[in-house]
């Protein structure tokens, strides 16, 4: 009879002892300057012979004067250069098993390539060619425009997409880079001349930051310098474009589709950037309400009432502003009930202190999640990039766990009172 | 290369340990050898509904998630046609919490009727959100029964219809649990900052007392070879016509699977692939087109799918795709083209091993299929594929009688 003795003593109702994560080791990035003065951040980590090269420009929607020009300029970089056609460029990335991602946001434009470290030189050659010699061929632009228009039409059929763009539009105003979204009219009006203008103004010979992560040795940083470091850079300062947020003129927008089986809802407000003193207290406050699977919204609306497959709340912090949102897709006839329950949960946080045990769980969860999201060179590089781009103090992430652990139940109640007054919250239902 | 050690408990639980001390975390992955293919055809969607119930409390622990969150852990699960997979990542100092939670729900669930009632609603909302309320969201509900007539791959994991989920009873839940959720029908992988002796001791302590059950023997009907082309047309309020074509391919760990995989890549992986270059770039027929093979342990599907530009008919688009496929079957691939997709595949493999949790899942998936070490043989399999094998595969797989075509027509 093996194990009988120990098994009889095993009390399964008692949780094993545990330790809380009090700090994590955040590996330091090496910060170098290339010969042309552009910064290179190196994150040398990991067991696999891979590399991620990321080149970041201040060239998002914020910088454009013609709607859509920044997005399409970026996407067109790989659609033809002085020396290669679009097909040849795709072929060259694919034949070395590298993956290029041209990602665009309201604030920035990123050229990212993932590949095996042994192919870094080929990757750099290609990247540099895209940044210097893009030609914006008409036929390729027509194809890209068409594909984008068709994709947009598909997205416009999705409730969640519509709810998100409407929400941002109402929060920031249609003319603001954080509020506007792609539309057919803007796309149709764009010409390759607009893209060439944006390319010259914001990408070609413009300052950038480079983030290199993966298995990196001296040889690799030398290679980056040999290519991107030789690039001529126009350092003439340019006035940063100014955009003012138009405050929401309404607190509620409803556009339900008659034949849809669910409605997508958003509730939220403008917020702040990461530098704001309320960042940590508000982040923990949000976590309690709807930030994780054990949150009050999930427990109430999904796990007790079964009204949705998923509900969550979160902070979206951009470079110059931020916003806070609750989102869910719910049964159509439950929309009002769900809003009522969200407001009740908010009221509860405004009235009463979060119990000690719940607050401890939230902090432990956030600490563990943070420690668990620092396990690949790319995850570390994402944080390094954020610190570098958002001008955060260099010990921001070293302090992260201490900062969130310092948040008190009183602060959380203050945050709920300060940021979640119902008159300040915008609702969207699609 | 994913190194691992293996042992088996007396009750049949197979355990794999992958040590990686470069991280302060541990990953615990439990794969149960049951998926939607094991369901009764009149109670489809049940394996997935059951996955939801696994979070509703077990015999000694009223709630699954909260104790894990309290020790800084995260978890989730998924159900596929073949398997149901549960995974945790947590700080390795708290590894025992994962053993406590996972062993208790393997021992017995709470079988609380309220949990079933709520999760039934949640899953119905999931069904709507992902399959009914999305453009083209119902395509798998149409495509699977077209491609499969006999094998249970003919229904989607979410289920054939909402009524099956509505009708599930607590007796069904109990029967399912005692049939499939057994130590001798599961694979446990523990990875990360852990040691073999530590995992052995914890496994004995927490899983050792769970009794084995009658071994589940899978007896599923074989899908007969398809002998003539199939066709279905459907319509919905979507912006663009879309074309879907599926072809039967070898099972995931069959000798010639990798050739099929590379064939699929030649056709439809990335922007240099044939379908994209010829039909989207050169001829402007499609707004998007690709080829892919969803994971399947039994003979699965190669799927070509594309959204079609306004002004192009489904018939034209279909003929153009067939032309590209036929050309490939007739003339094969060049060495350089095969080398390209091999490099892509090898690179993808290397990238897939960066994440600890991915390594744990890959081990569990291969171990369940027959041999954990298959994860380490993938690169060699890719390297060894020849242009002749790809062409031969193209001739077999891309034959018209092996194809099911779905015209998804846009209406206003």
């Amino acid at each position: 009879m093996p194990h009988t003795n120990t098994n009889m003593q095993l009390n399964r109702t008692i949780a094993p002892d545990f330790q809380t994560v009090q700090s994590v080791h955040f590996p330091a990035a090496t910060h170098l300057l290339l010969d042309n003065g552009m910064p290179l951040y190196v994150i040398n980590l990991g067991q696999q012979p891979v590399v991620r090269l990321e080149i970041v420009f201040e060239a998002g929607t914020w910088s454009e004067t013609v709607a859509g020009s920044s997005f399409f300029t970026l996407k067109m970089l790989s659609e033809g250069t002085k020396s290669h056609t679009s097909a040849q460029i795709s072929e060259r990335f694919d034949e070395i098993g590298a993956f290029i991602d041209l990602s665009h946001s309201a604030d920035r434009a990123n050229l990212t390539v993932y590949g095996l470290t042994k192919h870094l030189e080929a990757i750099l050659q290609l990247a540099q060619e895209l940044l210097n010699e893009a030609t914006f061929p008409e036929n390729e632009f027509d194809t890209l425009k068409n594909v984008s228009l068709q994709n947009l039409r598909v997205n416009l059929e999705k409730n969640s997409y519509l709810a998100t763009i409407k929400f941002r539009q109402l929060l920031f105003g249609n003319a603001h880079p954080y509020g506007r979204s792609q539309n057919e009219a803007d796309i149709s009006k764009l010409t390759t001349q607009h893209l060439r203008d944006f390319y010259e103004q914001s990408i070609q010979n413009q300052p950038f930051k480079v983030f290199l992560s993966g298995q990196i040795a001296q040889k690799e940083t030398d290679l980056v310098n040999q290519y991107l470091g030789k690039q001529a850079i126009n350092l003439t300062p340019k006035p940063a474009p100014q955009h003012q947020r138009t405050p929401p003129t309404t607190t509620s927008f409803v556009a339900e589709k008659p034949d849809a089986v669910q409605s997508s809802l958003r509730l939220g407000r403008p917020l702040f950037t990461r530098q704001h003193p309320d960042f940590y207290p508000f982040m923990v406050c949000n976590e309690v309400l709807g930030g994780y699977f054990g949150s009050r919204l999930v427990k109430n609306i999904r796990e007790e009432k079964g009204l949705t497959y998923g509900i969550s709340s979160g902070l979206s912090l951009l470079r110059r502003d931020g916003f806070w949102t609750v989102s869910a897709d719910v049964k159509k006839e439950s929309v009002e009930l769900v809003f009522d329950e969200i407001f009740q949960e908010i009221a509860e946080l405004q009235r009463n202190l979060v119990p000690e045990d719940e607050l401890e769980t939230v902090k432990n969860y956030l600490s563990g999640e943070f420690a668990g999201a620092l396990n690949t060179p790319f995850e570390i590089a994402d944080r390094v990039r954020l610190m570098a781009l958002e001008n955060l103090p260099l010990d921001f992430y070293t302090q992260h766990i201490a900062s969130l652990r310092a948040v008190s139940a009183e602060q959380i109640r203050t945050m709920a009172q300060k940021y979640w007054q119902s008159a300040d919250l915008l609702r969207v239902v699609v | 290369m994913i190194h691992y050690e293996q042992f088996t408990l007396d009750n049949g639980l197979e355990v794999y340990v992958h040590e990686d001390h470069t991280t302060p975390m541990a990953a615990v992955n439990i794969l149960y050898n049951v998926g939607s293919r094991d369901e009764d055809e009149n109670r489809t969607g049940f394996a997935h509904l059951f996955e939801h119930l696994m979070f509703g409390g077990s015999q000694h622990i009223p709630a699954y998630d909260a104790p894990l969150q309290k020790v800084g852990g995260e978890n989730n699960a998924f159900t596929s046609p073949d398997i149901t997979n549960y995974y945790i990542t947590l700080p390795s100092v708290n590894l025992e919490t994962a053993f406590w939670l996972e062993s208790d729900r393997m021992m017995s669930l709470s079988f609380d009727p309220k949990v079933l009632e709520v999760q039934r609603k949640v899953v119905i909302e999931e069904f709507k959100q992902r399959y009914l309320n999305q453009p083209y969201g119902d395509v798998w509900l149409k495509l699977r029964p077209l491609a499969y007539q006999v094998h249970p791959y003919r229904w989607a994991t979410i289920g054939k219809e909402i009524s099956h989920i509505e009708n599930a009873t607590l007796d069904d839940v109990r029967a399912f649990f005692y049939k499939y959720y057994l130590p001798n029908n599961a694979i446990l992988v523990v990875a990360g900052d852990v040691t073999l002796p530590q995992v052995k001791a914890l496994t004995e302590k927490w899983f050792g007392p769970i009794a084995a059950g009658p071994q589940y023997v899978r007896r599923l009907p074989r899908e007969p070879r398809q002998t003539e082309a199939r066709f279905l047309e459907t319509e919905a309020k979507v912006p663009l016509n879309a074309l879907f074509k599926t072809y039967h391919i070898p099972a995931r760990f069959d000798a010639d699977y990798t050739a099929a995989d590379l064939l699929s890549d030649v056709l439809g992986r990335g922007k240099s692939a044939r379908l994209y270059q010829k039909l989207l770039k050169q001829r402007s027929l499609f707004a998007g087109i690709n080829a892919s093979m969803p994971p399947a342990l039994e003979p699965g599907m190669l799927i070509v799918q594309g959204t079609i530009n306004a002004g192009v008919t489904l018939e034209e688009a279909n003929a153009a795709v067939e032309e590209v496929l036929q050309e490939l079957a007739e003339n094969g691939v060049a060495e350089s083209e095969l080398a390209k997709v091999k490099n892509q595949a090898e690179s993808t493999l290397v990238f897939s091993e960066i994440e600890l949790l991915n390594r744990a899942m890959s081990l569990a998936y291969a171990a369940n299929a027959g041999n954990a070490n298959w994860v380490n043989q993938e690169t060699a399999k890719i390297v060894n594929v020849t242009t002749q094998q790809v062409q031969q595969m193209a001739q077999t797989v891309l034959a018209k009688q092996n194809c099911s075509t779905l015209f998804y027509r846009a209406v206003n």
Side-chain angles (χ1 to χ4, degrees):
Chain A
M1 296 248 297
H3 319 309
T4 312
N5 289 334
T6 50
N7 292 338
M8 284 174 68
Q9 287 157 14
L10 190 60
N11 184 344
R12 291 182 181 267
T13 61
I14 298 173
D17 289 338
F18 70 98
Q19 297 172 33
T20 55
V21 178
Q22 294 296 341
S23 67
V24 288
H25 170 64
F26 190 87
T30 311
H31 180 195
L32 305 166
L33 289 181
L34 301 177
D35 287 351
N36 56 6
M38 294 300 103
L40 164 65
Y41 297 82
V42 178
I43 298 92
N44 171 33
L45 284 170
Q47 319 297 305
Q48 284 74 28
V50 296
V51 66
R52 180 175 88 180
L53 171 74
E54 192 163 21
I55 308 170
V56 184
F57 293 84
E58 295 295 322
T61 318
W62 195 276
S63 312
E64 72 189 16
T65 45
V66 178
S69 58
S70 64
F71 173 86
F72 281 97
T73 299
L74 190 73
K75 297 292 176 192
M76 281 296 291
L77 294 183
S78 59
E79 297 302 325
T81 63
K82 285 178 190 156
S83 359
H84 294 97
T85 63
S86 164
Q88 287 168 332
I89 293 166
S90 298
E91 192 73 29
R92 287 180 60 183
F93 279 110
D94 287 348
E95 71 195 7
I96 56 169
F99 310 96
I100 180 170
D101 179 29
L102 297 164
S103 76
H104 167 272
S105 71
D107 293 315
R108 300 188 182 90
N110 295 15
L111 184 159
T112 308
V113 188
Y114 294 83
L116 299 180
T117 306
K118 66 180 176 187
H119 294 308
L120 180 61
E121 182 157 15
I123 289 169
L124 282 161
Q125 279 171 357
L126 278 162
Q128 188 154 38
E129 186 178 315
L130 267 46
L131 298 178
N132 278 313
E133 298 177 21
T135 49
F136 304 96
E138 290 294 340
N139 61 330
E140 301 294 353
F141 184 49
D142 287 343
T143 302
L144 178 64
K145 248 168 120 167
N146 172 57
V147 168
S148 305
L149 280 172
Q150 311 293 358
N151 288 338
L152 178 61
R153 282 174 200 151
V154 174
N155 282 331
L156 291 174
E157 292 297 317
K158 298 179 185 164
N159 289 3
S160 59
Y161 178 86
L162 288 169
T164 298
I165 61 170
K166 193 70 204 174
F167 178 75
R168 289 177 67 145
Q169 187 193 100
L170 289 170
L171 273 195
F172 291 98
N174 216 356
H176 192 280
Y178 295 166
R180 74 175 175 250
S181 54
Q182 277 196 338
N183 66 65
E184 295 211 8
D186 287 347
I187 297 175
S188 306
K189 272 187 279 185
L190 271 181
T191 67
T192 53
Q193 189 55 48
H194 294 131
L195 308 193
R196 269 188 287 271
D197 291 345
F198 187 81
Y199 187 58
E200 284 167 23
Q201 168 217 316
S202 297
I203 292 186
Q204 207 177 26
N205 303 112
Q206 295 305 311
F208 52 77
K209 292 187 170 76
V210 187
F211 300 87
L212 189 67
S213 50
Q215 272 187 3
I216 320 286
Q218 180 74 38
K219 182 181 163 222
E220 280 74 38
T221 52
D222 288 349
L223 276 173
V224 174
N225 198 28
Q226 194 182 315
Y227 286 88
L228 300 175
K230 299 289 180 270
Q231 178 89 41
I233 302 292
N234 179 358
L235 287 170
T236 320
K238 279 182 298 188
Q242 297 297 314
H243 300 280
Q244 291 306 318
R245 180 162 86 196
T246 321
T249 50
T250 173
T251 55
S252 179
F253 174 87
V254 179
E256 284 184 312
K257 290 197 205 160
D259 49 351
V261 295
Q262 280 183 326
S263 296
S264 200
L265 62 89
R266 301 287 180 276
L267 176 77
R269 57 162 295 150
L271 204 62
F272 43 65
T273 62
R274 274 185 191 76
Q275 287 83 359
H276 197 280
D278 287 343
F279 172 64
Y280 277 102
F282 185 79
M283 185 189 79
V284 178
C285 180
N286 169 71
E287 199 73 8
V288 174
L289 180 72
Y292 74 124
F293 196 74
S295 71
R296 293 183 178 192
L297 291 181
V298 175
K299 275 192 185 139
N300 178 339
I301 292 161
R302 176 179 145 137
E303 295 298 296
E304 277 165 31
K305 302 199 174 65
L307 299 174
T308 182
Y309 175 51
I311 181 161
S312 64
S313 65
L315 293 71
S316 306
L317 302 180
L318 306 167
R319 181 174 176 186
R320 297 163 178 92
D321 216 330
F323 58 94
W324 173 80
T325 330
V326 180
S327 1
D329 290 291
V330 306
K331 234 181 177 160
K332 239 177 165 178
E333 50 281 19
S334 312
V335 170
E336 277 317 304
L337 176 57
V338 170
F339 274 120
D340 288 347
E341 292 296 329
I342 297 171
F343 281 113
Q344 279 191 29
E345 294 295 350
I346 286 176
E348 172 62 26
L349 284 168
Q350 290 169 334
R351 231 176 2 243
N352 297 315
L353 295 176
V354 177
E356 201 50 47
D357 192 54
E358 183 181 0
L359 185 54
E360 187 59 21
T361 295
V362 166
K363 288 178 181 178
N364 290 351
Y365 174 77
L366 281 170
S367 310
E369 183 195 40
F370 179 66
L374 294 177
N375 284 301
T376 71
F378 308 146
E379 287 170 330
I380 307 272
D382 288 342
R383 310 264 178 178
V384 170
R385 187 187 62 220
L386 198 69
M387 287 192 287
L389 295 176
E390 304 290 338
N391 299 316
L392 296 169
L394 283 173
D395 66 346
F396 186 79
Y397 284 114
T398 313
Q399 293 304 317
H400 183 73
I401 290 179
S403 307
L404 70 90
R405 285 210 176 274
V407 174
S408 68
E410 287 76 13
Q411 280 178 298
I412 290 175
R413 188 171 58 188
T414 309
M415 290 297 109
Q417 291 164 352
K418 180 170 172 185
Y419 289 101
W420 293 338
Q421 292 302 322
S422 55
D424 297 334
L425 301 180
L426 167 69
R427 314 169 170 216
V428 169
V429 181
V430 176
Chain B
M1 174 76 189
I2 308 176
H3 54 88
Y4 62 88
E5 316 254 9
Q6 192 271 327
F7 62 93
T8 307
L9 292 190
D10 292 345
N11 60 17
L13 179 65
E14 266 183 58
V15 188
Y16 295 80
V17 182
H18 164 64
E19 293 190 28
D20 175 358
H21 299 285
T22 63
T23 165
M25 305 297 288
V28 176
N29 188 90
I30 297 201
L31 180 156
Y32 288 95
N33 173 31
V34 59
S36 53
R37 65 177 157 162
D38 299 301
E39 292 163 346
D40 179 330
E41 63 176 306
N42 299 312
R43 296 169 190 197
T44 63
F46 196 81
H48 168 252
L49 172 63
F50 189 89
E51 174 215 312
H52 279 244
L53 304 179
M54 282 286 279
F55 296 89
S58 51
Q59 193 178 352
H60 305 96
I61 308 172
Y64 176 89
D65 293 291
L68 184 66
Q69 288 152 358
K70 180 144 200 171
V71 306
E74 288 188 274
N75 68 278
N76 212 333
F78 63 82
T79 309
S80 80
D82 295 322
I83 59 166
T84 313
N85 194 58
Y86 300 82
Y87 51 96
I88 289 176
T89 50
L90 79 177
S92 61
V93 288
N94 298 330
L95 180 62
E96 188 156 7
T97 305
F99 277 85
W100 170 61
L101 288 166
E102 289 300 348
S103 63
D104 203 53
R105 65 178 178 176
M106 185 188 281
M107 189 167 254
S108 182
L109 289 183
S110 65
F111 301 115
D112 178 348
K114 164 114 204 291
V115 173
L116 175 61
E117 285 328 301
V118 171
Q119 291 307 317
R120 188 204 306 281
K121 289 188 200 162
V122 170
V123 169
I124 290 170
E125 292 310 306
E126 180 181 0
F127 199 125
K128 291 187 204 159
Q129 183 176 329
R130 296 170 62 170
Y131 297 84
L132 304 182
N133 215 29
Q134 297 291 337
Y136 314 104
D138 62 350
V139 68
W140 285 102
L141 305 178
K142 314 258 181 210
L143 211 47
R144 284 193 168 272
L146 185 64
Y148 291 92
Q149 297 184 328
V150 174
H151 190 276
Y153 279 174
R154 71 185 191 274
W155 56 82
T157 302
I158 193 71
K160 283 182 192 171
E161 49 191 276
I162 287 181
S163 71
H164 286 190
I165 298 159
E166 284 168 341
N167 295 336
T169 68
L170 212 48
D171 283 341
D172 297 333
V173 174
R174 277 202 193 84
F176 198 85
F177 180 79
Y178 290 114
K179 183 168 181 190
Y180 300 110
Y181 280 70
L182 302 170
N184 46 322
N185 200 42
I187 307 276
L188 170 64
V189 177
V190 186
D193 182 27
V194 302
T195 66
L196 178 63
Q198 177 196 19
V199 174
K200 268 191 174 156
L202 287 171
T203 314
E204 286 288 352
K205 176 178 172 184
W206 292 102
F207 287 92
I210 303 173
Q215 190 61 47
Y216 169 55
V217 182
R218 185 170 278 119
R219 288 193 196 85
L220 301 181
R222 277 181 71 90
E223 182 67 21
R225 176 180 292 275
Q226 186 177 339
T227 51
E228 56 182 13
R230 294 176 195 155
F231 177 79
L232 179 72
E233 183 160 338
T234 187
E235 58 178 44
K237 252 193 81 182
V238 289
L240 301 174
N241 289 332
L243 173 68
F244 297 85
K245 294 174 84 67
T246 84
Y247 299 85
H248 297 282
I249 53 156
R252 175 65 182 83
F253 291 100
D254 276 5
D256 44 1
Y257 173 87
T258 311
D261 200 13
L262 294 176
L263 168 67
S264 167
D265 290 349
V266 166
L267 282 172
R269 174 175 181 167
K271 285 170 69 178
S272 73
R274 289 192 179 196
L275 290 168
Y276 189 92
Q277 282 298 327
K278 289 176 194 284
L279 305 185
L280 188 148
K281 284 287 194 175
Q282 290 164 21
R283 295 185 57 190
S284 292
L285 300 174
F286 284 85
I289 187 160
N290 66 65
S292 59
M293 301 187 349
L297 289 175
E298 297 187 53
M301 290 181 275
L302 185 161
I303 296 150
V304 173
Q305 56 182 309
T307 41
I308 300 164
N309 279 330
V312 179
T313 66
L314 275 155
E315 290 75 10
E316 277 174 84
N318 185 44
V321 168
E322 289 189 341
E323 208 176 291
V324 173
L325 304 191
Q326 200 177 338
E327 207 252 307
L328 177 54
E330 274 169 21
N331 302 326
V333 291
E335 286 293 345
S336 59
E337 191 177 17
L338 180 58
K340 177 192 78 178
V341 292
K342 284 182 176 181
N343 285 342
Q344 288 179 297
E346 280 182 68
S347 185
T348 304
L349 258 180
V350 176
F351 275 92
S352 76
E353 291 184 6
I354 293 176
E355 284 274 0
L356 177 68
L357 184 60
N358 276 350
R359 276 176 264 153
M361 281 187 193
S362 300
L363 277 175
Y365 187 74
N368 174 64
N371 183 350
N373 201 42
W374 284 342
V375 295
N376 294 318
Q377 294 167 3
E378 290 292 313
T379 307
K381 285 186 193 167
I382 294 166
V383 170
N384 290 333
V385 172
T386 64
T387 53
Q388 287 78 15
Q389 285 170 320
V390 173
Q391 183 169 9
Q392 212 167 22
M393 189 54 70
Q395 286 164 356
T396 323
V397 167
L398 303 179
K400 284 196 171 157
Q401 70 273 15
N402 192 37
C403 179
S404 301
T405 303
L406 173 67
F407 280 8
Y408 201 111
R409 211 174 274 281
V411 290
N412 286 323

